[in-house]
Amino acid sequence: MTERLVKILVLTAVVWTVGCSVPPSQTALWQQVRDLQAAKNHLENKVERLEEENRQLLEQCGMLSSLNPDLRLSALDRLMQIRLAKGTALTDENRDGKIETLRVHLEPIDQAGDVVKAPGQVHVSLWHLDVSAGEHLLGLWTVGAEELKTKWGRSLMGAYYRLTWDVEAILPEKACELTVKVEFTDYLTGKVLRTQKPLRLR
């Protein structure tokens, strides 16, 4: 009786094992089905986001098309001038007793008289004012719009673009009068604004 019971149990276990086992090919197919389902869900979510972005863009286009173009332009914050702030100077940044740095603090000014972070390109030049030979160029630098937007800063004195260059190699050896000239091209209107400031090299 016991031997017969053991045989029945063994036979049942074998049948159950065979019935429940899944061939490797079927396992791979089920994994592919799960991967495809995950990809489908991802694409559906992406389509929903794109549809929402498209809806918002259509709303913005509809709103802009309903506004008078001249009124839109007149409402923009336009630049009227640029100004070199007090921090613009030839300085000894590393405190070794030698002037080696040209520091320019540039303030774009709008029609309301406020300093604004305007997008644009900057050309800076340093000139030597020699009475006998007239003025001559010591150095010229350009800061593009992408770099310029990283140079915006604030201090207790206000907000401005803070630009610096190492000029030790091009400075005259004797004390003299220099001038820094700045040209700012406003990327919003295409207007070119200019200013300059005398600097004393001691």
Side-chain angles (χ1 to χ4, degrees):
M1 183 70 178
T2 304
E3 183 179 348
R4 184 179 178 186
L5 180 59
V6 170
K7 289 181 179 180
I8 292 173
L9 291 175
V10 170
L11 183 59
T12 302
V14 170
V15 172
W16 181 83
T17 302
V18 173
C20 293
S21 64
V22 180
S25 60
Q26 290 186 13
T27 302
L29 287 174
W30 278 112
Q31 184 60 46
Q32 289 181 11
V33 169
R34 287 193 290 270
D35 291 344
L36 288 172
Q37 184 62 45
K40 176 176 175 289
N41 293 339
H42 175 73
L43 289 174
E44 288 177 347
N45 291 335
K46 189 174 182 179
V47 167
E48 289 179 1
R49 290 196 301 270
L50 290 174
E51 289 177 345
E52 176 60 22
E53 291 176 3
N54 187 52
R55 184 190 64 78
Q56 293 179 1
L57 288 173
L58 288 174
E59 287 183 358
Q60 292 174 9
C61 288
M63 178 61 69
L64 288 173
S65 63
S66 67
L67 296 176
N68 186 313
D70 294 332
L71 291 178
R72 291 208 312 267
L73 289 174
S74 65
L76 292 176
D77 202 12
R78 291 173 294 172
L79 288 189
M80 300 304 293
Q81 63 174 315
I82 56 173
R83 182 172 61 207
L84 293 175
K86 187 177 180 180
T88 299
L90 291 164
T91 64
D92 177 14
E93 296 285 318
N94 57 17
R95 300 184 182 280
D96 64 351
K98 297 179 180 179
I99 300 296
E100 82 289 324
T101 301
L102 170 61
R103 186 173 63 204
V104 173
H105 288 181
L106 178 62
E107 298 176 332
I109 311 295
D110 69 3
Q111 68 268 31
D114 297 323
V115 177
V116 294
K117 185 182 180 181
Q121 179 174 270
V122 174
H123 296 287
V124 176
S125 56
L126 184 64
W127 298 79
H128 183 193
L129 303 181
D130 190 334
V131 177
S132 60
E135 62 180 18
H136 60 273
L137 181 65
L138 295 176
L140 177 64
W141 305 271
T142 298
V143 183
E146 287 299 314
E147 181 184 0
L148 185 64
K149 67 183 180 182
T150 67
K151 302 297 184 180
W152 186 254
R154 293 181 179 275
S155 70
L156 295 176
M157 303 300 293
Y160 44 77
Y161 287 115
R162 188 181 192 277
L163 311 172
T164 60
W165 292 275
D166 186 344
V167 294
E168 184 176 6
I170 63 174
L171 291 178
E173 295 181 359
K174 298 184 296 183
C176 59
E177 294 291 337
L178 304 179
T179 293
V180 60
K181 297 181 180 182
V182 178
E183 180 180 281
F184 183 90
T185 302
D186 180 15
Y187 274 17
L188 186 61
T189 63
K191 183 187 295 185
V192 178
L193 303 169
R194 297 178 178 86
T195 190
Q196 64 183 61
K197 181 179 182 179
L199 302 176
R200 177 68 181 170
L201 176 62
R202 296 181 178 84

